[in-house]
Amino acid sequence: MESVRKANQRLKNYPILLAKCSVAAAAYATCVTTDLNVSHKSCDQEFRQFKQCLQKAASDMKTKL
C-alpha cells in the first residue's frame, strides 16, 4: 500500500503547489472567464505559464504532480 500512501501525500501537496502559483493561476482563470465562448488554445500562453509554475514548484518540493 506504499503507492496509495504516496498518492495521498501528492494530493495533500496540491493546495501548497496552487498557493505557490496563485499569480499564474489567477492569470489563467482571468483569461478563461473573460470570454463566454472560449476557443481552443485561446489561453494557451497563460496555461503554459501556469503549468510551468506548477512543475517548478513540484520540483522544488521534490514531489510529483
Side-chain angles (χ1 to χ4, degrees):
M1 294 315 236
E2 181 69 17
S3 62
V4 173
R5 187 188 65 75
K6 287 182 179 181
N8 283 334
Q9 184 58 44
R10 282 195 309 270
L11 286 173
K12 288 178 185 177
N13 287 336
Y14 268 72
I16 299 166
L17 294 171
L18 289 173
K20 289 183 178 190
C21 296
S22 61
V23 173
Y28 178 58
T30 301
C31 180
V32 171
T33 58
T34 55
D35 188 9
L36 293 176
N37 298 318
V38 178
S39 62
H40 182 64
K41 293 191 177 187
S42 62
C43 298
D44 195 40
Q45 179 181 1
E46 290 83 356
F47 176 75
R48 277 190 270 117
Q49 290 174 347
F50 180 48
K51 180 180 170 184
Q52 288 173 350
C53 181
L54 286 174
Q55 289 172 335
K56 183 180 181 325
S59 175
D60 292 346
M61 289 179 60
K62 296 181 172 86
T63 187
K64 295 180 184 177
L65 289 177

